[in-house]
Amino acid sequence: MYWDKETVKLYTINVDVVKENSARINLFDSDATDITTIDGDYLANYQEDPNLKSIPESSVFYFQFNQEKAGIKTPLANQNIRKALALSYDKKAYVDTVLQNGSIVANGLIPAGLVKSPDGKIDFRKASGDLQTFNKKEAQAAWKKGLKELGVETLTIELLSGDTDSAKKSSEFMQGQWQTNLTGLKVNLKNVPFKVRLELDSKQDYDIQLSGWSADYSDPMAYLDIFQTGKSYNTTS
């Protein structure tokens, strides 16, 4: 869309992988890099900066519950345990206090703005409605029922996530929400580099994993397809 695209060419693009927000901001402010992402606490300091651009993405982040590890069913194979975990964290508080980057609450796998109905009149997300919302009371009821079905009073579960600043803060928020809202639950955090997380994912060696997906074409199947039986990305049993 650039007006002079026929004459302006990019011959080299250098990309630096920087996990810490502060380091990325310092590189940008010192003109050592041209573009950087910004989120969390730092975003508030740049609200009036003309360089700040907000660009929506068709990305959704979600939890993968691993129901079988090394051929043995995990507590997450219990539907009520999964339901309790899914309903027991405050998504609005998460996007407002942790991410602070314009993200919106996702109450369904397909994000708003990705695709409309065949007649073009209604967004897919609106047509599908909210499928999963924060409901502490319902979560606690499912949790008690799940523990009873498993014959236990407590559970210890590990949350696998990345090792960036944002991933660590996200993990800590979820740990606090789950342990506060679900009596008898202990959540251990495992923050690892992206490559390690992918290896653990492929081996199905995790309990709960914080994952994300971005659509590469404008259709609900860009997301739904990954959870089909036999798909290489479906590592949740």
Side-chain angles (χ1 to χ4, degrees):
M1 301 298 291
Y2 184 58
W3 69 273
D4 200 22
K5 64 180 180 180
E6 298 301 325
T7 57
V8 176
K9 306 292 181 183
L10 283 177
Y11 295 101
T12 303
I13 299 176
N14 297 314
V15 179
D16 294 319
V17 178
V18 182
K19 297 177 181 178
E20 296 78 20
N21 282 326
S22 58
R24 293 201 303 270
I25 297 303
N26 289 336
L27 287 172
F28 182 80
D29 287 343
S30 63
D31 293 328
T33 190
D34 299 302
I35 301 172
T36 188
T37 56
I38 182 173
D39 54 25
D41 299 334
Y42 293 92
L43 186 59
N45 299 327
Y46 289 84
Q47 289 298 321
E48 305 302 324
D49 193 317
N51 291 311
L52 181 65
K53 306 295 181 185
S54 178
I55 304 173
E57 297 180 343
S58 59
S59 299
V60 174
F61 292 85
Y62 51 87
F63 290 114
Q64 291 181 204
F65 296 155
N66 189 17
Q67 300 182 47
E68 185 177 303
K69 186 188 295 187
I72 301 174
K73 285 187 177 296
T74 73
L76 296 166
N78 182 280
Q79 184 176 358
N80 280 303
I81 295 298
R82 296 197 306 274
K83 180 179 179 180
L85 290 164
L87 299 179
S88 58
Y89 58 94
D90 190 335
K91 300 177 185 179
K92 187 67 166 59
Y94 172 60
V95 298
D96 288 347
T97 64
V98 179
L99 298 181
Q100 300 183 55
N101 61 0
S103 292
I104 61 175
V105 169
N107 288 321
L109 182 62
I110 313 304
L114 176 70
V115 62
K116 292 186 177 181
S117 58
D119 59 10
K121 293 182 178 180
I122 186 170
D123 186 86
F124 182 91
R125 177 75 273 130
K126 185 176 181 181
S128 299
D130 290 335
L131 305 179
Q132 180 182 294
T133 58
F134 173 51
N135 190 320
K136 183 178 177 180
K137 185 177 180 180
E138 189 175 346
Q140 290 175 336
W143 179 249
K144 291 179 181 178
K145 187 174 181 181
L147 290 180
K148 185 177 180 179
E149 290 169 346
L150 293 174
V152 299
E153 295 183 353
T154 63
L155 277 181
T156 298
I157 295 175
E158 184 179 82
L159 173 59
L160 174 65
S161 185
D163 63 345
T164 64
D165 281 349
S166 179
K168 290 177 181 178
K169 289 180 180 179
S170 296
S171 298
E172 291 166 0
F173 176 87
M174 295 303 169
Q175 180 188 49
Q177 289 277 297
W178 278 334
Q179 292 185 162
T180 298
N181 295 331
L182 301 176
T183 302
L185 174 62
K186 181 180 179 182
V187 179
N188 294 325
L189 303 182
K190 187 171 184 177
N191 296 96
V192 299
F194 182 68
K195 182 179 180 180
V196 175
R197 184 170 71 80
L198 291 183
E199 291 175 353
L200 293 172
D201 176 76
S202 64
K203 295 176 182 177
Q204 213 166 319
D205 186 13
Y206 65 92
D207 294 333
I208 301 177
Q209 180 180 177
L210 178 57
S211 300
W213 193 261
S214 298
D216 50 9
Y217 60 99
S218 184
D219 191 279
M221 287 305 295
Y223 292 93
L224 301 175
D225 184 63
I226 63 177
F227 294 106
Q228 288 190 44
T229 300
K231 291 290 184 177
S232 59
Y233 290 107
N234 187 357
T235 58
T236 58
S237 291

